[in-house]
Amino acid sequence: MQQKKYKFDIFSIFSTLWAHYELIKQFTKREIASRYKGSLLGIVWSLITPIIMLFIYTFVFSEIFKSRWTVDNDNKLQFALIVYCGLIIFNIFAEVTTRAPSLILNNPNYVKKVIFPLEILPVVSMLSALFQGSISYIILIIGILINQGTISISLILLPILIIPFLLFLVGITWILAAFGVYFRDIGQIIGLAIQGIMLLTPIFYPISVVPDKYLMIYHLNPLVYIVEDTRKVLIWGQFPSWYSLSLSFLIGFVFFVIGYNFFKRTKGGFSDVI
């Protein structure tokens, strides 16, 4: 029987995901619950972990490294909050992309089911990571309130910054999940790439210290825009760069569309490989 040829349709992306909204919600809840299944404190760990990590960052950077973000600012807690803000974004990215190559391989039963929408698995993976990231953001906001005594109204712009980041994440996960089925070594490559991306993202240092001749490399890193704009909104109480925000939406949407269509074109052969 001849396989039906997939046609590019941008509107089918949103209609497909909306049609499986309930399934995505159920799978996401199950994914979150499975993280802490069998542990004594259960889902409470999702709250304890970011609090402990924030205390560790504060101690290490304030007492061990004596670090300051700028020369004229020796606020140790603020430095830890600035670093923590960047790490939240990176940790969401690292978790999703690390799991992506094995996402389909770890669910062979769903591949054999013709009617199961495999394209929702990367979305579920992203939402699961976002759950932990959201709790980390709450801890970050509480830390900012303790440090500064107030929260800027610019906080309400945070969801707008996150949307293009999530579009990018889902898009890149669709691509990596499909590649992971056919090229098993890609998981090792991704592990190395993530380490490099962490160092090439201004998490532990301000982008202002990067020499001009290397700035082009940083501008090719999509994480730079979301990290910098998130700090502006949460830490500094400033509005984001509308140029970088527009660019983030463009990058996120392009990856989202390309990733979905690449996944749809390649998933027909998954059952033959797995």
Side-chain angles (χ1 to χ4, degrees), residues 76 184 258:
K76 299 173 181 178
R184 306 298 171 91
I258 292 177

PDB file of all heavy atoms in Angstrom, residues 76 184 258:
ATOM      1  N   LYS A  76      25.596  40.598  47.078  1.00  0.00           N
ATOM      2  CA  LYS A  76      25.873  39.181  46.832  1.00  0.00           C
ATOM      3  C   LYS A  76      24.610  38.400  46.487  1.00  0.00           C
ATOM      4  O   LYS A  76      24.639  37.521  45.628  1.00  0.00           O
ATOM      5  CB  LYS A  76      26.553  38.585  48.068  1.00  0.00           C
ATOM      6  CG  LYS A  76      27.883  39.244  48.398  1.00  0.00           C
ATOM      7  CD  LYS A  76      28.449  38.744  49.707  1.00  0.00           C
ATOM      8  CE  LYS A  76      29.762  39.440  50.039  1.00  0.00           C
ATOM      9  NZ  LYS A  76      30.308  38.988  51.337  1.00  0.00           N
ATOM     10  N   ARG A 184      21.251   7.145  16.165  1.00  0.00           N
ATOM     11  CA  ARG A 184      21.282   6.926  17.617  1.00  0.00           C
ATOM     12  C   ARG A 184      22.405   7.695  18.317  1.00  0.00           C
ATOM     13  O   ARG A 184      22.346   7.916  19.526  1.00  0.00           O
ATOM     14  CB  ARG A 184      21.422   5.424  17.911  1.00  0.00           C
ATOM     15  CG  ARG A 184      20.365   4.552  17.226  1.00  0.00           C
ATOM     16  CD  ARG A 184      18.956   4.886  17.691  1.00  0.00           C
ATOM     17  NE  ARG A 184      17.924   4.218  16.916  1.00  0.00           N
ATOM     18  CZ  ARG A 184      17.399   3.048  17.212  1.00  0.00           C
ATOM     19  NH1 ARG A 184      17.835   2.375  18.270  1.00  0.00           N
ATOM     20  NH2 ARG A 184      16.446   2.535  16.463  1.00  0.00           N
ATOM     21  N   ILE A 258       9.084  24.549  11.108  1.00  0.00           N
ATOM     22  CA  ILE A 258       9.997  23.615  10.448  1.00  0.00           C
ATOM     23  C   ILE A 258      10.073  22.295  11.225  1.00  0.00           C
ATOM     24  O   ILE A 258      10.053  21.209  10.632  1.00  0.00           O
ATOM     25  CB  ILE A 258      11.400  24.238  10.316  1.00  0.00           C
ATOM     26  CG1 ILE A 258      11.369  25.402   9.318  1.00  0.00           C
ATOM     27  CG2 ILE A 258      12.417  23.183   9.866  1.00  0.00           C
ATOM     28  CD1 ILE A 258      12.698  26.120   9.175  1.00  0.00           C
TER      29      ILE A 258
END
